[in-house]
Amino acid sequence: SLDVQQVLDEAMDSVIALTGAERGYILLRDEDTGEMVFSVARNLDRETLDESGFMVSRTIVEEVIASGQPVVTTNAQDDPRFATQKSVMFFALRSILCVPLVARGEMVGVVYADNRVKDALFGQDELALLVAFADQAAVAIENARLFARLQRALAEASEMSELMHNVLASIASGVIT
């Protein structure tokens, strides 16, 4: 598909199915501001989560954004890197997996998956699988975004062509008059 939202939904559903995550999120770099923003949030039932359901460890997401390296933890509440983080304690996060989305050598976003119930759900195998999948997903997402930009540019060009046609038609009728 070249529809951005459909690509995002399918990518997130695949991540959840491949890893056994309870929930997953994709954050993409906003083309105008450069900030990472939530683009899709899905759960195990393939349902889109609303913003009230966004319960992620921002610390882990920010670490992946800053370092460009994936993060995996088998139990965030016992992991000395994250145990003191408010989001980890407040949302009772356990297994967390977060990897960068890289297309053409540039980080375009991150994939975040977690499970609040099961410890040790994610290991090195799931990390390697998600890193490989994220590379493919990043290309698909960027292709869909590029196609959307191309469609917008084409629509603007068509609109400008129509405007010019109308102007030239009115000039011709003005000269005749």
Side-chain angles (χ1 to χ4, degrees):
S1 172
L2 289 174
D3 177 65
V4 176
Q5 193 59 52
Q6 184 177 355
V7 170
L8 290 169
D9 289 344
E10 288 180 16
M12 197 70 267
D13 290 344
S14 295
V15 166
I16 291 170
L18 288 170
T19 62
E22 178 186 8
R23 301 166 308 156
Y25 306 86
I26 293 178
L27 290 83
L28 293 178
R29 189 171 308 281
D30 184 277
E31 295 171 347
D32 297 326
T33 66
E35 296 292 318
M36 291 287 185
V37 295
F38 284 95
S39 298
V40 67
R42 307 274 283 181
N43 65 17
L44 193 57
D45 297 325
R46 296 178 176 236
E47 298 170 336
T48 299
L49 302 173
D50 62 7
E51 286 191 42
S52 65
F54 291 6
M55 299 180 277
V56 302
S57 171
R58 297 229 182 234
T59 303
I60 292 175
V61 169
E62 289 169 7
E63 181 176 321
V64 172
I65 292 169
S67 71
Q69 297 299 313
V71 170
V72 63
T73 181
T74 56
N75 189 338
Q77 295 177 351
D78 291 338
D79 191 324
R81 299 174 297 172
F82 311 116
T84 59
Q85 301 303 318
K86 291 179 185 176
S87 59
V88 170
M89 293 183 299
F90 185 73
F91 298 134
L93 300 175
R94 295 200 186 283
S95 297
I96 300 174
L97 186 56
C98 189
V99 300
L101 286 167
V102 179
R104 292 184 292 278
E106 182 181 329
M107 185 186 301
V108 297
V110 296
V111 176
Y112 174 98
D114 69 15
N115 193 301
R116 296 172 293 178
V117 180
K118 294 181 182 176
D119 289 349
L121 181 64
F122 309 129
Q124 292 306 310
D125 291 344
E126 289 77 16
L127 176 63
L129 180 64
L130 189 55
V131 166
F133 181 81
D135 289 342
Q136 297 300 315
V139 171
I141 291 166
E142 280 304 293
N143 284 344
R145 290 172 92 179
L146 182 61
F147 185 73
R149 282 194 299 270
L150 186 60
Q151 282 185 312
R152 285 191 299 272
L154 183 59
E156 289 173 8
S158 294
E159 187 177 310
M160 189 60 91
S161 175
E162 182 69 25
L163 177 64
M164 287 182 62
H165 176 71
N166 291 341
V167 167
L168 291 175
S170 68
I171 288 174
S173 65
V175 169
I176 292 172
T177 302

